[in-house]
Amino acid sequence: MSEFLQLQLLAIIQGLTEFLPVSSSGHLALLQNHLAIGDMADGPLLEILLHGGTLVAVLCFYRKRILQLLQGLCRKNPDAWKYSLLIVIACIPAGIVYFLAHDAIENAFDSPKAIGACLVVTGLALLSLRFKKGLDGDAPTWKKALGVGLAQALAILPGISRSGSTYAAARWLNVSSKEAFDFSFLASIPLIGGAIILKFRHFSELTANGNTPGLVVATILSALVGYAALWGLSKLRFLGKFWFFGIYCLAIGVMALLVA
């Protein structure tokens, strides 16, 4: 398979798995190891670039909510400031973990065993939602935002689904299904944006071997597929079937462990 097609395959996987609760980082790392394309671009760096596409997707999907928050901040609306602060609180644990364990986290991308084990953890977390009845609950509070933030910090590891772990954490903290869903993805925006900024200085490494056209197409493709996946997942949420993805994560995790 040509490098161009490999990139587009990774973009499709990223777009689908970034929002579906199955761990985009885990799937990308396993696929890159299987395709042996480590010489084309460093795993975490390529993941950050593809995350740029899915960041565009979530910004477009929540454009009205984001605009309302920005307008509320400008008008000094207490509710807008409170909600924005909750998002910041949910991002702090992940930032701390990343800066304290940066090297260990990036090394995990090269370990199929670690990725498989993390996918199993994701599967168990999602399966726990089978026992969470109903979609009702409360709005996020600062304590609940911190709990979601701790789950988001664990999701830095490849194989731990960010959307799955944060949604599951919010639901078990008795946040309503809709609020848990929205807060989970809105809280991802600062983290993805910050990661892109941190990694941008390495952009020349991604384009050094002339793959720029393929990377551009891959970023656009991940944005389009990501938006479609997020739209579909928002509809599926009403059915209360998030736990179905746990079966898939368990299967992929065990398979990765066996192959490793």
Side-chain angles (χ1 to χ4, degrees), residues 135-173:
L135 301 177
D136 296 331
D138 304 320
T141 63
W142 73 269
K143 289 183 179 180
K144 294 177 181 180
L146 183 58
V148 172
L150 294 174
Q152 190 158 239
L154 290 176
I156 294 178
L157 292 170
I160 301 293
S161 167
R162 197 209 61 79
S163 62
S165 60
T166 54
Y167 179 81
R171 290 295 290 130
W172 281 112
L173 289 169

Side-chain angles (χ1 to χ4, degrees), residues 8 19 23 58 82 98-99 101 123 144 148 184 197 237 245:
Q8 307 324 308
F19 300 124
S23 178
V58 74
K82 177 183 177 181
Y98 180 80
F99 282 107
K144 294 177 181 180
V148 172
S184 171
I197 293 173
R237 177 189 64 78
F245 291 102

Side-chain angles (χ1 to χ4, degrees), residues 8-123:
Q8 307 324 308
L9 177 59
L10 291 175
I12 293 173
I13 296 296
Q14 166 66 22
L16 285 173
T17 59
E18 172 64 20
F19 300 124
L20 300 182
V22 296
S23 178
S24 62
S25 59
H27 280 74
L28 283 174
L30 289 175
L31 189 56
Q32 284 181 267
N33 288 328
H34 177 69
L35 294 176
I37 59 175
D39 57 333
M40 181 174 62
D42 181 70
L45 291 177
L46 178 58
E47 184 196 355
I48 289 298
L49 187 64
L50 296 181
H51 266 91
T54 47
L55 175 60
V56 172
V58 74
L59 287 174
C60 291
F61 188 83
Y62 282 106
R63 60 190 182 278
K64 293 182 180 179
R65 183 73 177 270
I66 294 171
L67 181 59
Q68 290 175 349
L69 279 176
L70 292 175
Q71 290 176 338
L73 292 175
C74 293
R75 296 170 181 171
K76 299 182 179 180
N77 182 290
D79 292 335
W81 277 94
K82 177 183 177 181
Y83 196 86
S84 299
L85 180 59
L86 293 178
I87 290 177
V88 172
I89 291 174
C91 293
I92 290 175
I96 293 174
V97 169
Y98 180 80
F99 282 107
L100 291 179
H102 173 269
D103 292 337
I105 290 169
E106 296 210 346
N107 288 337
F109 281 81
D110 298 321
S111 173
K113 288 184 179 180
I115 297 170
C118 287
L119 281 168
V120 170
V121 172
T122 294

Side-chain angles (χ1 to χ4, degrees), residues 176-251:
S176 70
S177 177
K178 184 180 186 310
E179 285 291 341
F181 186 88
D182 292 344
F183 189 76
S184 171
F185 290 109
L186 289 171
S188 73
I189 294 174
L191 283 184
I192 299 176
I196 292 173
I197 293 173
L198 287 174
K199 294 290 185 179
F200 191 77
R201 66 183 185 279
H202 298 294
F203 187 76
S204 60
E205 298 176 23
L206 292 171
T207 59
N209 57 1
N211 285 321
T212 304
L215 291 168
V216 171
V217 174
T219 302
I220 295 173
L221 186 58
S222 68
L224 295 175
V225 175
Y227 187 92
L230 184 54
W231 180 85
L233 188 61
S234 69
K235 303 302 179 183
L236 185 62
R237 177 189 64 78
F238 289 103
L239 302 177
K241 303 300 182 182
F242 258 59
W243 66 273
F244 278 11
F245 291 102
I247 300 173
Y248 172 81
C249 288
L250 278 178

